[in-house]
Amino acid sequence: MSFINSAFRLMVSRPLFATSALTMCLALIATDHPSAQAKEPQRWTSEIMMSVKRIGSVQVSPDGKRVAYAVRDAIMEGDISEFRTHIHLANADGTDRLQLTRGDHSCDDPQWSPAGDRLAFVSTRKGKKNLWLIRPDGGEAEPLTKMKGDVGSFKWSPDGRSLAFTATDAPSEEEEKRKRTKDDAVVVDERIKQSRLYVVAVHSTSKSQARPKALSPADRSVVSEANRSGRAGFDWSPDGRTIVFAHARSPRPDDWTSADLSTVDVASGTVKKLASSAAAEGSPIYSPLGTAIAFTVSDEPATWAGARRVHVVSSSGGSSQELADTHDGFGRYSELIGWSAEGKKIYFSELRGTSLELSTLPLAGPPKVVGHQDGMSLGGFHLNARRTHVGFGWETLDRPAEAYCSTIEHFKPVKVSEVQPELPSTAQTGRTEIVSWKSSDGFDVDGLLTYPRDYRKGTRYPLLLVVHGGPMGAFTQSYDGSPTQYPVALFAERGYAVLRPNPRGSSGYGKKFRYANYGDWGGGDYRDLMSGVDHCIELGIADRDRLGVMGWSYGGYMT
């Protein structure tokens, strides 16, 4: 929940352990001494953890032959300490890998033009985040926009002659002056910056750079998806004449419930309401022929636990058709990906338990799973322009992320990247497995249990209980060695067992489960957490006299 977004606590069962617990946390973040590395080259270290790269925006070219993807590195050189992202390319079979962008400024979110001859991306090369163009065969990137507010999401027009994008309102002269003089006091919810929809023409050279045209009303803020991928909240019609977009009163956290859908005529700027109700509408996507639009509708009134249904409406408006419900009630981790080529079904991804599934939702009938395997997709699934291939980053509990692609009809993922070769093959994280138990009131719960690196059966270990945020968040089968709020692999390396439960209220287990802690924070969910700790003690793993608890956001509240 937004009002406890930064909550954090570390508490322990005995006062004598408090000082050592704090020392432990500081030691985990600190750089390991070189002599210790020389003695134990096979141990998991903070340096190894920070060398783990992140994969995002995996995009397959329209012809399905090449893949662009973004790689994020932690740069720690001298007084530089930052994450930096750059764009890479590879053939769809994983050959001919190359890094396309370089430099001291991040380049992210690559998107192929419909002809596959150029890539658009966002970068802070000139200060603010703006749109740039580059050819996939190399050469200098060219700036496309010079917005004074950061560019957010963007999409190519079907003919490749324009790009639609969102950008936040530029700071005023007064705000710029205050920034220069370090007068950085802020009044919450004052001078709200709307996210507006623009379109800009794409010319053959940067010398003929066009001026972006604003399309959305001044009193509306364009809504992007509040999930892992940050997917755009708008879409082009196949003929390129119209854009459908989701908009709310403002980008304030509580105003998402006011989201509606409208269309705008690109040439005239005329805006028409498409879907408006007491529910929150979002994620609009045109069908291949442009006759229909798929979108999501929240429960009414909208609630924070995130129950939605997929609807389809005629692109000219009118009443909508509600499609079948999904496993998780289209919750927080569910996402519309795109229509199939023949326009008879819609691809979507959804969390099931601790893994992400790719599925289809036909216009009539129940959803069907296209691909299921243990792990998580980083940055979501991305369908290419011709709807033949899907790109995604994939990670598992014991394998760091890489970029993958697959044909959409016959889901057989192919790894196309190799960005983690420097990870020592001997550096292993502690073993993690899914564990299940019954809460004290008979409620079925599961979670992830990570064993200490040198676990020996029959020996009890200190247990750390980690509580996720949300409460509709979830612990998933993502790589244990990634740098996160609480570095699980480092805890395991230091001899701790780590339990990450998904108590009632979590995503991935259905709408009923996700709403089971409504009006009951600290009740049934607390029993789920404590019974999980008891389960680890009963398994002979946890030492009941050495227990720690930590969490962020809702997890801070529960701590």
Side-chain angles (χ1 to χ4, degrees):
M1 300 289 285
S2 59
F3 54 89
I4 51 173
N5 201 34
S6 60
F8 168 83
R9 296 289 186 271
L10 172 66
M11 302 182 71
V12 293
S13 59
R14 301 192 295 176
L16 289 176
F17 186 57
T19 301
S20 60
L22 178 59
T23 304
M24 172 200 74
C25 286
L26 294 175
L28 292 178
I29 303 305
T31 300
D32 294 321
H33 194 278
S35 62
Q37 293 183 30
K39 292 178 182 178
E40 295 184 337
Q42 299 180 6
R43 312 305 292 184
W44 191 265
T45 65
S46 53
E47 285 86 357
I48 294 175
M49 178 187 73
M50 294 307 297
S51 72
V52 176
K53 297 176 174 62
R54 305 295 282 176
I55 299 287
S57 301
V58 183
Q59 303 271 355
V60 183
S61 62
D63 61 9
K65 295 180 179 180
R66 303 183 79 180
V67 182
Y69 52 96
V71 180
R72 190 190 76 173
D73 287 280
I75 308 300
M76 296 175 287
E77 300 171 353
D79 59 352
I80 299 175
S81 179
E82 65 185 37
F83 286 111
R84 194 175 296 163
T85 303
H86 278 292
I87 299 166
H88 294 237
L89 284 177
N91 290 336
D93 62 0
T95 60
D96 293 340
R97 303 184 185 105
L98 62 91
Q99 183 172 335
L100 187 62
T101 64
R102 299 179 185 276
D104 296 335
H105 298 279
S106 287
C107 302
D108 204 354
D109 196 13
Q111 293 188 32
W112 294 92
S113 65
D117 60 339
R118 279 184 284 187
L119 284 160
F121 64 94
V122 292
S123 180
T124 56
R125 291 182 177 196
K126 297 293 185 180
K128 291 292 184 179
K129 186 185 292 185
N130 268 283
L131 286 172
W132 292 70
L133 297 174
I134 192 170
R135 297 194 178 275
D137 295 327
E140 287 296 320
E142 298 177 348
L144 181 62
T145 61
K146 296 180 179 179
M147 304 298 291
K148 293 183 178 180
D150 284 334
V151 168
S153 52
F154 64 94
K155 282 188 178 182
W156 286 90
S157 64
D159 61 8
R161 296 179 180 177
S162 302
L163 277 163
F165 66 94
T166 60
T168 54
D169 290 341
S172 65
E173 291 185 10
E174 178 191 354
E175 289 168 327
E176 291 282 17
K177 180 180 178 181
R178 290 176 59 189
K179 182 178 179 181
R180 289 193 298 270
T181 58
K182 310 299 181 183
D183 181 8
D184 56 358
V186 174
V187 178
V188 175
D189 285 347
E190 189 175 273
R191 299 186 178 94
I192 291 292
K193 303 299 181 184
Q194 303 280 55
S195 175
R196 304 193 192 280
L197 180 65
Y198 295 84
V199 65
V200 62
V202 178
H203 297 295
S204 57
T205 66
S206 59
K207 293 180 181 179
S208 55
Q209 198 174 65
R211 185 182 181 89
K213 174 184 177 181
L215 294 178
S216 59
D219 62 346
R220 299 277 99 179
S221 186
V222 180
V223 178
S224 294
E225 291 301 281
N227 54 26
R228 292 163 67 92
S229 73
R231 196 177 297 273
F234 61 89
D235 194 29
W236 288 87
S237 63
D239 62 12
R241 297 177 180 177
T242 307
I243 296 175
V244 60
F245 63 102
H247 52 83
R249 286 189 294 265
S250 82
R252 293 184 182 95
D254 288 338
D255 274 350
W256 71 273
T257 60
S258 68
D260 295 324
L261 299 184
S262 293
T263 60
V264 58
D265 182 274
V266 176
S268 67
T270 302
V271 176
K272 295 181 180 179
K273 278 286 182 71
L274 178 71
S276 177
S277 70
E281 290 88 8
S283 307
I285 306 176
Y286 271 99
S287 65
L289 296 178
T291 57
I293 296 171
F295 62 103
T296 61
V297 180
S298 74
D299 46 1
E300 189 175 327
T303 53
W304 279 91
R308 296 177 291 168
R309 294 291 292 268
V310 180
H311 285 230
V312 173
V313 67
S314 168
S315 54
S316 59
S319 59
S320 63
Q321 172 193 355
E322 184 178 286
L323 303 189
D325 202 2
T326 64
H327 158 72
D328 204 36
F330 224 82
R332 180 184 184 185
Y333 287 81
S334 307
E335 178 179 79
L336 288 183
I337 298 168
W339 289 75
S340 61
E342 80 285 354
K344 294 182 180 180
K345 56 191 176 185
I346 301 161
Y347 294 104
F348 72 97
S349 61
E350 189 163 62
L351 193 64
R352 183 181 289 268
T354 55
S355 289
L356 201 67
E357 288 182 336
L358 176 63
S359 302
T360 60
L361 187 59
L363 297 184
K368 180 181 178 181
V369 176
V370 173
H372 176 85
Q373 55 189 27
D374 290 341
M376 283 296 294
S377 169
L378 293 173
F381 293 88
H382 297 274
L383 196 62
N384 70 339
R386 297 178 189 172
R387 297 180 170 87
T388 58
H389 290 72
V390 65
F392 53 98
W394 197 258
E395 61 180 335
T396 63
L397 287 166
D398 58 359
R399 291 197 305 275
E402 295 286 0
Y404 288 79
C405 72
S406 172
T407 57
I408 191 67
E409 287 297 326
H410 304 284
F411 191 70
K412 294 182 179 179
V414 175
K415 187 173 77 168
V416 299
S417 70
E418 193 69 60
V419 301
Q420 322 270 13
E422 74 280 8
L423 289 179
S425 59
T426 54
Q428 301 295 322
T429 58
R431 174 170 60 92
T432 297
E433 65 184 22
I434 299 173
V435 290
S436 302
W437 64 91
K438 282 193 177 295
S439 189
S440 56
D441 58 358
F443 214 78
D444 291 319
V445 189
D446 69 26
L448 302 174
L449 174 61
T450 301
Y451 290 80
R453 166 69 185 272
D454 297 322
Y455 172 73
R456 295 188 303 275
K457 189 174 183 179
T459 301
R460 291 188 179 271
Y461 296 86
L463 177 74
L464 300 177
L465 172 67
V466 187
V467 190
H468 64 63
M472 62 285 193
F475 285 118
T476 63
Q477 294 188 54
S478 51
Y479 183 51
D480 279 344
S482 296
T484 58
Q485 290 97 331
Y486 302 107
V488 174
L490 285 175
F491 288 140
E493 182 67 48
R494 299 322 197 259
Y496 294 86
V498 183
L499 177 64
R500 290 169 284 169
N502 285 330
R504 65 192 78 186
S506 303
S507 293
Y509 301 90
K511 179 181 176 180
K512 183 178 179 181
F513 189 94
R514 198 166 62 255
Y515 279 76
N517 69 339
Y518 245 73
D520 188 38
W521 283 22
D525 47 9
Y526 174 79
R527 294 191 293 272
D528 297 347
L529 298 172
M530 293 300 98
S531 58
V533 173
D534 291 340
H535 181 65
C536 292
I537 294 172
E538 292 167 2
L539 290 173
I541 298 168
D543 183 340
R544 68 172 61 250
D545 293 321
R546 293 185 291 169
L547 304 172
V549 58
M550 60 195 80
W552 68 95
S553 190
Y554 160 80
Y557 169 86
M558 290 303 298
T559 296

